[in-house]
């Protein structure tokens, strides 16, 4: 029972990280029907941005507060990763908006290869690691043979950040105009345009369905 409980705690922690990645992946596929192969590579870039920001704050600037440093790292990583996503959409996806369906898929594969090789050249092929910031654990139970079921402060932080981001995501999707536009595009792209959701596709020669798809892509990029 103790082993099962410990593995359950570890699985919830890992699932929280995978869940955040899956949200973005399912939004792109569910709304515009595109398999974004570069999605995981963008998260990889985000991890390196967070690592570099943390090293700058702790080693170069000498910030002693771990909580403040992690908060700044989270905000900086999200902002810069959003900028990376916006650039990718502008460069690799938007020019192919009116082409056949296989073209964005090929472009996504190429962007995935580009990001992987760029980071490998810029940061090197070796694994990057930093000392753990939280070494303390909370022992929940122990067995007669000495096996302890514990949860670390790092796992608790992962749970808290995941819960906060999921609540923020729920609020954006259900309570804001951007979320309503995204849900409208997911349900019926043509009707979304007829109901007044503006499209950023400027070419009047393209079919209306492609113009509505352009608004879906734009709304996802803004998110």
């Amino acid at each position: 029972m103790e082993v099962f409980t410990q593995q359950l705690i570890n699985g919830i922690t890992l699932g929280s990280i995978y869940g955040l990645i899956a949200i973005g992946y399912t939004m792109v596929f569910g709304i515009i029907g595109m398999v974004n192969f570069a999605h995981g590579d963008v998260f990889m870039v985000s991890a390196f941005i967070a690592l570099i920001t943390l090293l700058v704050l702790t080693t170069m600037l000498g910030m002693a507060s771990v909580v403040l440093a992690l908060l700044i790292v989270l905000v900086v990583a999200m902002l810069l990763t959003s900028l990376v996503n916006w650039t990718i959409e502008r460069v690799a996806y938007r020019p192919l908006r009116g082409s056949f369906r296989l073209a964005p898929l090929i472009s996504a594969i190429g962007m995935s290869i580009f990001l992987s090789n760029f980071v490998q050249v810029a940061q090197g092929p070796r694994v990057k690691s930093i000392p753990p910031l939280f070494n303390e654990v909370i022992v929940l139970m122990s067995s007669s043979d000495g096996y302890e079921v514990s949860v670390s402060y790092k796992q608790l932080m992962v749970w808290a950040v995941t819960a906060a981001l999921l609540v923020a995501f729920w609020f954006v999707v259900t309570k804001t105009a951007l979320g309503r536009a995204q849900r409208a595009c997911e349900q019926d792209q043509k009707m979304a345009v007829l109901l007044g959701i503006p499209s950023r596709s400027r070419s009047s020669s393209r079919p209306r369905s492609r113009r509505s798809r352009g608004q879906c892509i734009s709304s996802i990029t803004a998110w």
Side-chain angles (χ1 to χ4, degrees), residues 129-177:
S129 62
I130 58 174
L133 300 177
F134 302 100
N135 295 317
E136 297 82 4
V137 297
I138 301 175
V139 178
L140 301 179
M141 66 179 70
S142 59
S143 62
S144 57
D145 57 356
Y147 185 84
E148 294 182 343
V149 177
S150 61
V151 56
S152 65
Y153 286 100
K154 180 174 64 176
Q155 291 174 318
L156 293 177
M157 184 186 69
V158 171
W159 297 353
V161 172
T162 300
L165 292 178
L166 288 178
V167 170
F169 170 77
W170 170 83
F171 178 81
V172 169
V173 172
T174 59
K175 303 297 182 180
T176 65

Side-chain angles (χ1 to χ4, degrees), residues 202-221:
R202 302 302 183 189
S203 176
S204 60
S205 61
R206 293 175 181 175
R208 183 177 298 272
S209 61
R210 291 180 180 175
R211 295 204 301 270
S212 62
R213 184 178 296 271
Q215 166 59 19
C216 300
I217 298 174
S218 302
S219 64
I220 293 174
T221 304

Side-chain angles (χ1 to χ4, degrees), residues 7-197:
Q7 294 303 318
L8 179 62
I9 294 174
N10 297 335
I12 293 175
T13 304
L14 189 59
S16 299
I17 300 174
Y18 288 166
L20 292 178
I21 301 176
I23 286 176
Y25 206 105
T26 53
M27 281 190 65
V28 174
F29 182 77
I31 295 177
I32 65 177
M34 172 185 170
V35 180
N36 186 12
F37 284 100
H39 190 72
D41 299 277
V42 171
F43 269 84
M44 177 264 298
V45 172
S46 176
F48 275 99
I49 292 174
L51 174 61
I52 294 172
T53 306
L54 181 62
L55 293 177
V56 169
L57 291 176
T58 56
T59 59
M60 298 180 61
L61 301 181
M63 183 174 293
S65 176
V66 177
V67 177
L68 181 59
L70 291 178
L71 182 61
I72 295 176
V73 166
L74 180 64
V75 174
V76 170
M78 292 175 65
L79 290 177
L80 293 183
T81 305
S82 299
L83 180 61
V84 171
N85 269 319
W86 181 84
T87 305
I88 292 175
E89 195 272 337
R90 282 278 185 171
V91 173
Y93 300 150
R94 180 169 294 192
L96 302 174
R97 184 176 299 168
S99 61
F100 58 99
R101 292 181 59 88
L102 193 59
L105 181 64
I106 297 174
S107 180
I109 296 175
M111 184 57 62
S112 174
I113 297 173
F114 168 78
L115 291 176
S116 299
N117 286 274
F118 172 77
V119 172
Q120 186 174 9
V121 171
Q123 297 294 326
R126 296 182 179 272
V127 177
K128 305 291 183 179
S129 62
I130 58 174
L133 300 177
F134 302 100
N135 295 317
E136 297 82 4
V137 297
I138 301 175
V139 178
L140 301 179
M141 66 179 70
S142 59
S143 62
S144 57
D145 57 356
Y147 185 84
E148 294 182 343
V149 177
S150 61
V151 56
S152 65
Y153 286 100
K154 180 174 64 176
Q155 291 174 318
L156 293 177
M157 184 186 69
V158 171
W159 297 353
V161 172
T162 300
L165 292 178
L166 288 178
V167 170
F169 170 77
W170 170 83
F171 178 81
V172 169
V173 172
T174 59
K175 303 297 182 180
T176 65
L178 174 62
R180 288 192 293 270
Q182 291 175 338
R183 287 184 283 122
C185 289
E186 189 275 333
Q187 293 176 6
D188 194 326
Q189 296 174 5
K190 295 181 180 180
M191 184 59 66
V193 174
L194 294 176
L195 292 178
I197 295 179

